[in-house]
Amino acid sequence: MNWVRRVGLGLVCGWLLGCASLQAPAFDQTALDQAVAAREKAMAVVTAGTEPYSQHEAEVTALRAQVEAAAAFAASRPHNEVVAKQWQVMNDPQAHLLGGYLKRWQALGKLNPGFALEAGRSIGEGFDKIIELEQARKH
Amino acid sequence: MSDFKQFAQEAEANLKNLVTADFKDYTQAAMADGKAFLERSRQDLERWLQLRAAGQLTDDDLLWLIQSKKDLAVLQALKQAGVSQTRLEGFKNDLIQLAIQTATGAAAQGLQQLVPKPPANPA
């Protein structure tokens, strides 16, 4: 009976596709909220880069903790390696986004206005890429 | 044999429609997003060079900002990879549904062949 074979083939194909390793995390509102909140806090702190670092050390410490919490949450979600890597780059003091900016500010004591403004734009753009990816997971 | 050919043709047509629906818009959007990133990077670099020439950026500032663009390119690539991952997950789910629907359509056709046709009314 040919139709039995065709039905069986279709169901087997469906089962095989279900076992494929292509898995993506579902949209997570907490993750999106964390990214948006971290961006807002980061922009406020980065703008203060033209002032002495010592006057803003507590804010920087709080921001670093907030970003590390968001990064840890991203790393805890299954199949979320891509976003975890994004947070890693953003937070890395050896890179040239938020982590690198805070490190440079601390090292130099104060940053010139032109640099603070332009670096702030880059940092904001970086956060936008994390936010946009999470938003893309909404179906 | 003709039943299998019809099944295969139907499955192929449904698959083409599925691929077009799932990926055409995504491909265009990904291309546009990539082009927008490159254009923004070009504009940023031009502005930074002007700021350097005006003395508002030091050489170290300029170098740091250029390197920030490289890091942003990494984030951009990661974003696209994540979006692709999500799209493929959706395509996989649609493909499973298509396989089941096509197979059950063939099963219904097969069942119809098993049911004997009622005799024609005598004249």
Side-chain angles (χ1 to χ4, degrees):
Chain A
M1 303 183 82
N2 289 336
W3 71 267
V4 173
R5 198 183 303 172
R6 290 197 293 272
V7 168
L9 180 63
L11 291 175
V12 166
C13 285
W15 178 77
L16 285 173
L17 285 168
C19 287
S21 61
L22 299 169
Q23 293 189 23
F27 167 74
D28 190 298
Q29 188 64 49
T30 300
L32 180 61
D33 292 343
Q34 283 181 338
V36 170
R39 185 191 195 285
E40 187 177 338
K41 179 70 175 176
M43 291 299 99
V45 171
V46 162
T47 302
T50 56
E51 298 169 10
Y53 178 85
S54 56
Q55 294 179 5
H56 296 274
E57 198 160 357
E59 295 163 61
V60 171
T61 301
L63 173 61
R64 282 189 169 131
Q66 186 174 355
V67 170
E68 283 166 9
F73 181 73
S76 72
R77 296 171 65 195
H79 312 294
N80 202 37
E81 294 83 4
V82 170
V83 175
K85 181 65 180 174
Q86 284 186 313
W87 279 110
Q88 185 184 344
V89 172
M90 177 62 73
N91 206 24
D92 185 359
Q94 306 305 320
H96 303 82
L97 290 171
L98 180 64
Y101 180 93
L102 297 176
K103 179 187 171 188
R104 192 163 197 249
W105 185 12
Q106 184 175 13
L108 297 179
K110 197 162 62 169
L111 302 170
N112 72 56
F115 174 79
L117 178 63
E118 295 299 325
R121 286 190 173 133
S122 289
I123 292 167
E125 190 177 341
F127 273 106
D128 289 343
K129 297 196 187 304
I130 298 175
I131 291 167
E132 287 163 8
L133 174 50
E134 194 63 45
Q135 288 175 330
R137 291 171 172 171
K138 286 184 185 178
H139 290 293
Chain B
M1 192 63 179
S2 62
D3 290 338
F4 177 77
K5 189 176 177 182
Q6 185 181 358
F7 163 76
Q9 286 173 344
E10 183 182 341
E12 184 181 342
N14 290 339
L15 183 59
K16 280 182 182 175
N17 292 336
L18 180 63
V19 170
T20 303
D22 279 9
F23 288 107
K24 183 180 177 186
D25 290 344
Y26 161 67
T27 304
Q28 290 172 345
M31 288 290 291
D33 195 26
K35 284 182 180 177
F37 174 76
L38 289 174
E39 177 58 21
R40 194 163 49 244
S41 298
R42 185 190 66 78
Q43 292 173 358
D44 287 344
L45 185 58
E46 280 183 3
R47 187 174 64 253
W48 297 339
L49 290 171
Q50 289 170 0
L51 290 172
R52 176 66 192 99
Q56 294 183 42
L57 292 176
T58 65
D59 286 340
D60 286 343
D61 291 340
L62 180 60
L63 181 61
W64 195 100
L65 290 170
I66 291 172
Q67 289 171 326
S68 78
K69 270 301 166 189
K70 292 182 184 176
D71 294 329
L72 280 173
V74 171
L75 293 188
Q76 171 76 8
L78 288 168
K79 173 190 150 183
Q80 284 304 326
V83 172
S84 296
Q85 187 184 19
T86 299
R87 280 285 180 157
L88 283 169
E89 173 78 4
F91 175 73
K92 183 194 72 173
N93 293 333
D94 290 344
L95 196 55
I96 291 170
Q97 288 299 315
L98 174 63
I100 293 172
Q101 286 167 8
T102 305
T104 52
Q109 194 178 26
L111 281 171
Q112 276 185 340
Q113 292 173 359
L114 289 176
V115 174
K117 292 181 184 175
N121 290 329

